[in-house]
Amino acid sequence: ERAAKPLAAIFAETHASDVEDGIMDPLERQEVLATLGFRCLDFDYVQPPLSDQHKPCGGLKLLVKDQDALPREAIVSYLDDFSGSVLGWEEESWKEDPWYQKQISSLPPLISARHQRPW
């Protein structure tokens, strides 16, 4: 059983400004999210696979609500929690995958969150 942790942040994902999903203009979506207090974390985010049949997903930005920066540990915890929730906690094999290793190794001690758009 996993122990409860204090909430470090409220996260959201959105498409990068150059990605069209056919549902909503990405710049308009970014404006809406910004008015709700979200800022874009300044690192190359790759969404963990949504199942063992899916690949990691690029073209997204990871956002944080009402914060100017987050410590590296908060991002690692988020990635671990997301990955474990869909891929399983037992083996944590995702920690050896290139998409995970590249993100983790590139994170500075403090990741800034930009309000300025486009993201």
Side-chain angles (χ1 to χ4, degrees):
E1 184 175 313
R2 295 186 43 83
K5 298 182 271 188
L7 182 65
I10 297 173
F11 293 100
E13 296 173 334
T14 192
H15 287 101
S17 60
D18 61 347
V19 175
E20 292 287 336
D21 67 1
I23 297 170
M24 183 178 192
D25 177 84
L27 297 175
E28 185 179 342
R29 181 181 287 127
Q30 289 180 10
E31 288 300 320
V32 169
L33 289 165
T35 62
L36 295 172
F38 285 97
R39 296 181 175 104
C40 183
L41 288 160
D42 195 17
F43 77 103
D44 292 329
Y45 174 64
V46 176
Q47 181 191 64
L50 298 178
S51 78
D52 56 3
Q53 281 82 43
H54 289 89
K55 294 181 179 181
C57 184
L60 296 170
K61 298 293 184 176
L62 186 62
L63 312 179
V64 64
K65 186 169 174 41
D66 299 326
Q67 296 196 41
D68 294 321
L70 282 179
R72 179 183 193 279
E73 295 77 24
I75 303 298
V76 172
S77 179
Y78 170 81
L79 289 171
D80 288 351
D81 288 347
F82 190 142
S83 299
S85 72
V86 294
L87 300 174
W89 297 106
E90 294 77 34
E91 296 180 25
E92 296 187 344
S93 60
W94 73 85
K95 289 185 177 184
E96 304 303 319
D97 290 343
W99 67 267
Y100 181 88
Q101 289 291 317
K102 184 177 179 183
Q103 279 187 102
I104 298 304
S105 66
S106 70
L107 289 174
L110 189 66
I111 297 91
S112 61
R114 294 182 289 121
H115 188 269
Q116 182 181 355
R117 289 159 312 285
W119 297 327

